[in-house]
Amino acid sequence: MSSSFASIASEIGFDIVSSTHAEENAAKRKEITRSFVSDTVTVPTEEMYQYATRATLGDDVYFEPSTAALEAHMAKITGKEAGLFVPSGTASNQIAIRTHLHQPPYSVICDHRAHIHRYESGGAAFHSGAAVIPVIPSNGHHLTLDDIKNNIIITNDIHFAPTQLVELENTLDGTIFPQDEIIKISEYAHSHGLKVHLDGARLWHVAAKTSTSLKDLCAPFDSVSLCFSKGLGAPVGSMLVGSQAFIAKARWFRRLFGGGMRQTGILAGCAAYALTHNFPQLPRVHALTKRLEASLEEIGVRIVTRAETCMLFYDPSPVGVTFAEIADRASKLPEPLIISPYSGSRLVVHIQTADSAVNDFIAIVRQLALEKKAAGFVRVEGQAETEIKDSYPRSDPDTRK
């Protein structure tokens, strides 16, 4: 090796592993057990690491055996013909939209809280040239067939962009979309020749909570996106499933969007480990979230959105407490609790949440409520409930999709 080349090699070389990384990773794993920010903050365990390193070393743009096996498994359990592994939920949704839509003008109808509308950077317009019709559910919980009928565009009037895709989300803000209503909407959409896509990023929770198979949950849809890093604790990746023809075209758009990856086997290994070992933990997550809800309600806190799965939204103002006070008190614990920086009203429980973290959060709110009462705070029933509900976002941007 020449001295000049050795000099260049010395400049380029970099050791990312420090002598303290093992300790830092252990600390991070402990920190995550006390975070209520999102279920995307979960980190791989040593066991997941070890399993993933046994995966194959193919190139996914050509063929990667472990990834292909995961795609086939996901297609099987969702009742679809094929699957496509993608880097993120946003990529999965946007590739699905672009694959379903062929020639504008067209529109996509969805819940006004939908991730594709609020948190994907206007992707439907940018990638697909699609107008989005965001609909506010008349029941305040989920879209109904009447909501779709009252807002969908099925017309030859050239003033409007006809709807070609109905997009639903399950769960949405942690709430479960009733399957009977999904079937009604799907049958109506299909009767008009429209496609139906599901953002099922957290569909795992629906399957666990309702004991319904993924195949049955996915049956009404032409395509479904499922995330491995939400709920299941894998570090990266989502799966898009649909027909053979749909996935063949989606694979093309994945490449066009820059989502073609190389040695994805290790990521597929993490996802496979999560399916086997982490999915069974979801009932505990649901029970812990319900305990958190019940305790807050017992203190006098108003529950804005109930804990149907892993999330709840709450309002502490009825006991005179603010989100800022809770976050401040939580940050000063010997082992701090981490509260969402985007929306203090949302609490997310995940597979790595410690029981002690929930206990500490409840204790903080209870102590603050007692302090406010001792200082003379008097609760006024119904005070500012409408304003509070409208002021706090019902979901976080979660840079996770």
Side-chain angles (χ1 to χ4, degrees):
M1 180 186 299
S2 68
S3 60
S4 59
F5 179 77
S7 177
I8 294 172
S10 177
E11 290 178 357
I12 291 175
F14 178 62
D15 185 2
I16 201 170
V17 179
S18 74
S19 60
T20 60
H21 268 193
E23 293 81 1
E24 291 168 3
N25 285 345
K28 174 58 70 173
R29 289 192 176 100
K30 181 63 179 292
E31 175 186 300
I32 293 308
T33 67
R34 300 181 64 76
S35 174
F36 293 94
V37 173
S38 175
D39 52 357
T40 61
V41 302
T42 52
V43 294
T45 60
E46 289 289 351
E47 293 79 10
M48 179 182 283
Y49 269 140
Q50 292 167 9
Y51 181 84
T53 60
R54 296 160 56 191
T56 54
L57 300 175
D59 184 319
D60 192 40
V61 173
Y62 300 102
F63 180 74
E64 204 300 299
S66 290
T67 306
L70 178 66
E71 290 171 340
H73 176 72
M74 288 299 298
K76 178 182 177 181
I77 65 175
T78 58
K80 303 304 180 186
E81 294 178 351
L84 180 65
F85 185 74
V86 296
S88 68
T90 292
S92 187
N93 285 333
Q94 292 304 316
I95 290 169
I97 292 170
R98 185 64 189 87
T99 304
H100 281 306
L101 302 179
H102 299 292
Q103 178 62 51
Y106 38 54
S107 60
V108 178
I109 191 168
C110 64
D111 193 298
H112 75 118
R113 301 162 296 173
H115 201 274
I116 66 161
H117 173 56
R118 296 184 69 179
Y119 301 124
E120 295 186 8
S121 305
F126 183 83
H127 294 297
S128 302
V132 174
I133 304 171
V135 180
I136 299 174
S138 56
N139 59 23
H141 184 272
H142 62 272
L143 291 177
T144 65
L145 177 57
D146 286 340
D147 291 330
I148 296 295
K149 286 182 174 180
N150 291 335
N151 291 276
I152 201 168
I153 298 175
I154 304 176
T155 177
N156 291 323
D157 190 327
I158 63 172
H159 293 89
F160 304 100
T163 302
Q164 291 189 13
L165 179 65
V166 176
E167 191 271 355
L168 305 179
E169 190 167 330
N170 197 16
T171 63
L172 198 163
D173 287 354
T175 62
I176 296 175
F177 203 132
Q179 189 70 4
D180 58 345
E181 197 68 45
I182 285 175
I183 292 172
K184 292 176 186 177
I185 293 171
S186 174
E187 290 177 345
Y188 171 77
H190 287 148
S191 73
H192 288 279
L194 310 182
K195 299 297 183 180
V196 188
H197 172 70
L198 174 66
D199 180 349
R202 294 184 174 92
L203 196 62
W204 321 107
H205 285 281
V206 184
K209 186 71 173 181
T210 65
S211 296
T212 306
S213 70
L214 284 178
K215 183 177 181 179
D216 287 343
L217 292 172
C218 295
F221 299 95
D222 298 288
S223 60
V224 179
S225 170
L226 302 105
C227 188
F228 298 115
S229 65
K230 273 180 280 307
L232 295 190
V236 177
S238 288
M239 187 69 67
L240 178 63
V241 296
S243 68
Q244 289 281 4
F246 172 83
I247 293 299
K249 189 67 173 181
R251 191 175 295 274
W252 206 324
F253 282 120
R254 183 186 71 170
R255 179 65 175 171
L256 186 153
F257 287 176
M261 297 184 288
R262 299 300 181 178
Q263 286 70 38
T264 55
I266 192 166
L267 299 179
C270 288
Y273 183 92
L275 290 172
T276 303
H277 299 278
N278 293 349
F279 175 77
Q281 299 184 49
L282 295 184
R284 171 189 170 271
V285 172
H286 300 160
L288 198 56
T289 312
K290 288 298 292 185
R291 182 162 73 80
L292 176 58
E293 174 191 72
S295 296
L296 290 175
E297 202 163 25
E298 181 269 327
I299 293 168
V301 167
R302 186 170 74 92
I303 303 302
V304 178
T305 300
R306 293 204 167 273
E308 296 183 24
T309 55
C310 65
M311 297 183 195
L312 67 87
F313 293 76
Y314 74 110
D315 167 24
S317 66
V319 293
V321 179
T322 68
F323 294 119
E325 288 173 323
I326 294 171
D328 179 68
R329 192 69 61 91
S331 70
K332 293 177 179 176
L333 291 176
E335 294 182 353
L337 296 175
I338 304 173
I339 313 299
S340 170
Y342 298 107
S343 170
S345 65
R346 188 180 90 158
L347 297 172
V348 184
V349 178
H350 51 77
I351 59 173
Q352 293 174 338
T353 302
D355 286 21
S356 60
V358 171
N359 295 339
D360 288 346
F361 185 88
I362 294 167
I364 285 173
V365 178
R366 179 176 285 111
Q367 181 60 35
L368 284 169
L370 290 173
E371 292 172 8
K372 295 292 183 177
K373 185 176 181 179
F377 176 81
V378 178
R379 175 174 181 168
V380 179
E381 292 296 330
Q383 181 180 25
E385 287 194 356
T386 300
E387 290 77 4
I388 290 168
K389 183 176 181 179
D390 293 341
S391 297
Y392 297 103
R394 299 284 292 282
S395 58
D396 288 349
D398 271 1
T399 55
R400 84 260 194 239
K401 275 187 152 193

